[in-house]
């Protein structure tokens, strides 16, 4: 079923989704040659917009595409898409592909990028997932070596997520060379005692905007937080494990590979960080922080 929305943005036009059409020769369709972003909107305000646009710029530069819009143009597009959902929490999805060209791996010289965006009401994780935590499995990180690019080619992520779901889990925690990288669609934090640890940025993880916010909140509140490699042993013996993403926010993982994490229920550090996160979000909605 199509998500409920009356309009999407495609290449300069606002259209009903069923009228939005992309060529079968679009390189997004043929090669997965494009990048995307997901930007949450809280209380009618685009959350961490400069961070999302900076990551978009980095993704575009990495695949050697020019940003088709200025910041002001993006804001105009987003504002119009957001309007149909009022002030309810929502997310903006946007993707840019290298455009339409005869099928050839080499970049086409004159293709015009395809730009697509829409807004969708946010579906928060069910309350019981926050209260009880979720289940994860570990899987070999079978993705490529540029996971820092928010590429639309998500076949490996989709396979890993599906395998996790078929094992009754919500997320796959990915392991490369004995260390964890991230979730199939999230970043990972572990808690040992009163310290947070999250894998460092680099080519094997997406620099999550929520991850960076959690690190920022930790530092501002004098909570010890290190960005360093997390071995599989450290994951197995952690007191708490969390996943972070723009749409799932900060979710406790309380079972990994069938074994309980710490006490097997969401821990005190999660409660503290989630309260601080919600405080920050509230201040943002009220216009007290940018
Ligand atoms: N890693 C991957 C692979 C993701 O797909 C996502 C977003 N769903 C994240 C991390 C989290 O990033 P963000 O906090 O910016 O949503």
């Amino acid at each position: 079923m199509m998500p409920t929305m009356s309009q999407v943005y495609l290449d300069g036009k606002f259209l009903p989704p069923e009228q939005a059409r992309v060529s079968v020769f679009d390189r997004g369709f043929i090669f997965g040659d494009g990048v995307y972003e997901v930007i949450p909107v809280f209380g009618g305000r685009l959350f961490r917009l400069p961070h999302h646009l900076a990551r978009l710029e980095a993704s575009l530069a990495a695949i050697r595409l020019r940003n088709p819009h200025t910041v002001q143009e993006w804001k105009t597009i987003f504002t119009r898409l957001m309007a149909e959902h009022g002030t309810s929490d929502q997310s903006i999805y946007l993707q840019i592909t290298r455009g339409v060209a005869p099928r050839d791996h080499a970049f086409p010289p004159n293709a015009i990028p395809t730009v697509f965006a829409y807004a969708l009401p946010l579906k928060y994780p069910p309350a019981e997932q926050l209260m009880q935590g979720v289940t994860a499995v570990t899987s070999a990180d079978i993705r490529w070596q540029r996971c820092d690019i928010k590429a639309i080619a998500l076949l490996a992520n989709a396979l890993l997520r599906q395998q996790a779901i078929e094992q009754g889990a919500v997320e796959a925690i990915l392991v490369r060379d004995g260390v964890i990288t991230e979730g199939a669609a999230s970043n990972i934090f572990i808690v040992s005692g009163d310290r947070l640890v999250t894998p460092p940025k680099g080519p094997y993880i997406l620099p999550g905007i929520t991850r960076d916010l959690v690190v920022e909140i930790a530092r501002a509140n004098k909570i010890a937080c290190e960005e360093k490699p997390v071995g599989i042993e450290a994951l197995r013996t952690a007191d708490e494990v969390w996943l972070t993403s723009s749409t799932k926010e900060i979710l406790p993982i309380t079972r990994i590979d069938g074994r309980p994490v710490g006490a097997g229920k969401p821990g005190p550090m999660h409660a503290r960080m989630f309260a601080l996160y919600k405080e920050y979000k509230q201040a943002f909605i009220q216009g007290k922080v940018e």
Side-chain angles (χ1 to χ4, degrees), residues 219-239:
R219 302 227 159 109
N221 290 277
K222 309 237 159 16
I223 298 169
C225 180
E226 285 178 281
E227 296 173 76
K228 65 170 194 195
V230 176
I232 189 79
E233 243 342 273
L235 178 76
R236 300 250 183 259
T237 55
D239 297 310

Side-chain angles (χ1 to χ4, degrees), residues 82-151:
M82 283 150 58
E84 69 178 284
H85 305 300
T87 54
S88 61
D89 290 351
Q90 50 187 303
S91 63
I92 302 276
Y93 176 89
L94 76 92
Q95 86 167 43
I96 304 160
T97 76
R98 206 178 303 278
V100 179
R103 188 182 180 283
D104 180 359
H105 290 68
F107 292 176
N110 302 312
I112 300 163
T114 302
V115 184
F116 171 54
Y118 63 89
L120 201 65
L122 250 183
K123 266 215 313 248
Y124 285 109
E128 74 177 52
Q129 289 195 348
L130 257 178
M131 270 148 50
Q132 290 163 20
V134 297
T135 299
V137 289
T138 54
S139 304
D141 192 343
I142 56 169
R143 301 172 304 161
W144 67 332
Q145 305 197 10
R146 288 305 306 272
C147 300
D148 54 321
I149 303 171
K150 204 161 168 61

Side-chain angles (χ1 to χ4, degrees), residues 152-165:
I152 59 169
L154 289 171
L155 181 56
N157 304 63
L159 282 170
L160 290 160
R161 195 34 133 23
Q162 185 60 27
Q163 280 166 12
I165 288 167

